[in-house]
């Protein structure tokens, strides 16, 4: 393939509908995220078990941002195969967790993949089809909203922010993590480097603008921090060790990070009012 013609990336509908990303070596384990590598070993080759542990670690990083979780009601927006929703219920003691995903195939996979967890916790773990900008939940129905590496796909970020403010109860908390562009100029440059942006799989939302949209929707104490130093380099090191991955275009994410075009972020916010 000529260097000036990047590979075609399947659409969002294909990636999360027809295909199951958990079968792709780069996303081993089924959590389908780049991972949080702060505690990954540095003195030996990285294993697939290390890779899966980083994906779980990213979920735990986000869930800790929610503060008190015992007995509270939560929703995960963009749950994918639902393993993170099940982890949240099992490890953080939520009263209930609903995993939402816009793609019906993913919802069905999540229900099948987590059938044992759902059977063990009747009425506490559920998976439903729903878009980030139109959640099938009543007003003020959850205490916690979390999202892990899904917001880069959200087509209507202001709509998501308004929905988050709507479904959260007073005093409820939001925590999300994913990769965003560092500014408008960077957002314009990303499609020239990364096929997922060129083909529309990922949308070049700007980090500070996402934070501003959360605040504009009525959420308070909006905070944002970059964690890319614990994501991109180690993830690339893992790709470089796996023969079928070392020459693939996902290694350009490290290049984009080093060029200052994108970073990985954690955003948190609170729904005003007393619990």
């Amino acid at each position: 393939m000529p260097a000036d013609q990047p590979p075609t990336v399947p659409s969002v509908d294909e990636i999360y509908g027809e295909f199951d990303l958990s079968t792709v070596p780069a996303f081993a384990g089924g959590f389908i995220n780049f991972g949080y590598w702060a505690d990954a070993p540095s003195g030996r080759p990285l294993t697939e078990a290390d890779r899966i542990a980083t994906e779980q670690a990213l979920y735990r990083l986000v869930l800790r941002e929610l503060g008190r979780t015992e007995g509270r009601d939560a929703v995960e927006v963009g749950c994918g195969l639902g393993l993170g929703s099940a982890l949240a219920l099992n490890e953080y003691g939520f009263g209930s967790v609903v995993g939402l995903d816009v793609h019906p195939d993913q919802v069905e996979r999540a229900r099948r993949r987590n059938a044992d967890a759902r059977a063990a916790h009747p009425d506490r773990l559920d998976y439903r089809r729903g878009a980030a900008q139109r959640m099938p939940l009543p007003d003020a129905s959850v205490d916690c909203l979390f999202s892990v590496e899904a917001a880069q796909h959200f087509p209507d970020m202001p709509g998501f922010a308004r929905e988050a403010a709507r479904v959260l109860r007073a005093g409820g908390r939001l925590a999300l993590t994913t990769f965003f562009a560092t500014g408008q100029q960077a957002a314009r440059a990303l499609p020239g480097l990364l096929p997922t942006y060129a083909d529309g799989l990922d949308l070049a939302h700007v980090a500070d603008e996402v934070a501003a949209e959360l605040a504009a929707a009525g959420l308070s104490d909006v905070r944002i921090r970059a964690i890319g130093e614990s994501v991109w380099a180690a993830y690339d090191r893992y790709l470089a060790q796996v023969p079928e991955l070392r020459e693939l275009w996902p290694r350009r994410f490290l290049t984009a990070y080093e060029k200052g075009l994108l970073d990985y972020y954690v955003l948190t916010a609170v729904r005003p009012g007393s619990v």
Side-chain angles (χ1 to χ4, degrees):
M1 179 177 294
D4 60 349
Q5 294 185 16
T8 299
V9 175
S11 69
V12 173
D13 286 337
E14 290 175 311
I15 282 288
Y16 296 106
E18 178 181 352
F19 301 118
D20 180 353
L21 279 185
S22 68
T23 65
V24 177
F27 294 108
F31 287 85
I32 311 179
N33 63 62
F34 284 120
Y36 183 65
W37 300 78
D39 297 322
S42 58
R44 60 165 174 78
L46 295 165
T47 67
E48 184 173 89
D50 295 327
R51 172 69 181 108
I52 295 170
T54 69
E55 296 177 89
Q56 295 168 328
L58 187 62
Y59 264 94
R60 294 182 181 115
L61 176 72
V62 169
L63 292 165
R64 288 195 297 270
E65 295 286 346
L66 295 171
R68 182 173 64 86
T69 57
E70 191 73 29
R72 308 189 83 187
D73 299 313
V75 60
E76 180 183 6
V77 183
C79 70
L81 298 183
L83 300 184
S85 294
L87 182 152
L89 184 71
N90 290 329
E91 295 189 11
Y92 289 81
F94 286 100
S96 68
V97 179
V98 173
L100 297 182
D101 203 282
V102 72
H103 298 283
D105 289 355
Q106 288 291 74
V107 174
E108 287 305 312
R109 290 184 189 118
R111 289 171 177 166
R112 292 195 303 268
R113 190 77 173 261
N114 300 283
D116 291 345
R118 295 175 69 211
H121 303 286
D123 304 321
R124 294 183 60 206
L125 180 62
D126 190 19
Y127 298 99
R128 305 176 193 171
R129 186 181 183 189
Q133 70 275 14
R134 188 176 297 175
M135 301 182 203
L137 298 172
D139 295 355
S141 57
V142 297
D143 305 292
C144 301
L145 183 153
F146 63 98
S147 182
V148 175
E149 205 168 300
Q152 78 279 5
H153 299 314
F154 295 171
D156 180 4
M157 194 61 72
F160 162 70
R162 290 191 295 269
E163 279 291 89
R166 181 185 68 81
V167 303
L168 280 169
R169 295 176 179 134
R173 296 187 63 85
L174 172 150
L176 71 82
T177 190
T178 195
F179 50 95
F180 291 126
T182 55
Q184 278 294 339
Q185 185 173 351
R188 291 189 290 272
L190 282 169
L193 178 63
L194 286 164
T196 51
Y197 285 101
D199 292 359
L201 176 64
D202 296 325
L203 303 176
H205 298 304
V206 175
D208 288 341
E209 293 178 4
V210 174
E213 286 155 358
L214 294 174
L219 298 175
S220 64
D221 196 23
V222 179
R223 302 185 183 187
I224 181 171
R225 75 177 191 274
I227 61 169
E229 64 181 10
S230 296
V231 176
W232 300 116
Y235 174 72
D236 187 77
R237 182 162 69 93
Y238 174 73
L239 295 181
Q241 293 179 182
V242 182
E244 63 265 41
L245 300 178
R246 65 170 59 120
E247 302 298 332
L248 295 183
W249 63 264
R251 300 195 65 190
R252 299 182 196 174
F253 274 96
L254 177 60
T255 302
Y257 170 64
E258 292 175 337
K259 288 178 175 289
L261 301 180
L262 58 70
D263 206 336
Y264 214 100
Y265 296 91
V266 175
L267 284 83
T268 58
V270 178
R271 181 73 168 88
S274 301
V275 179

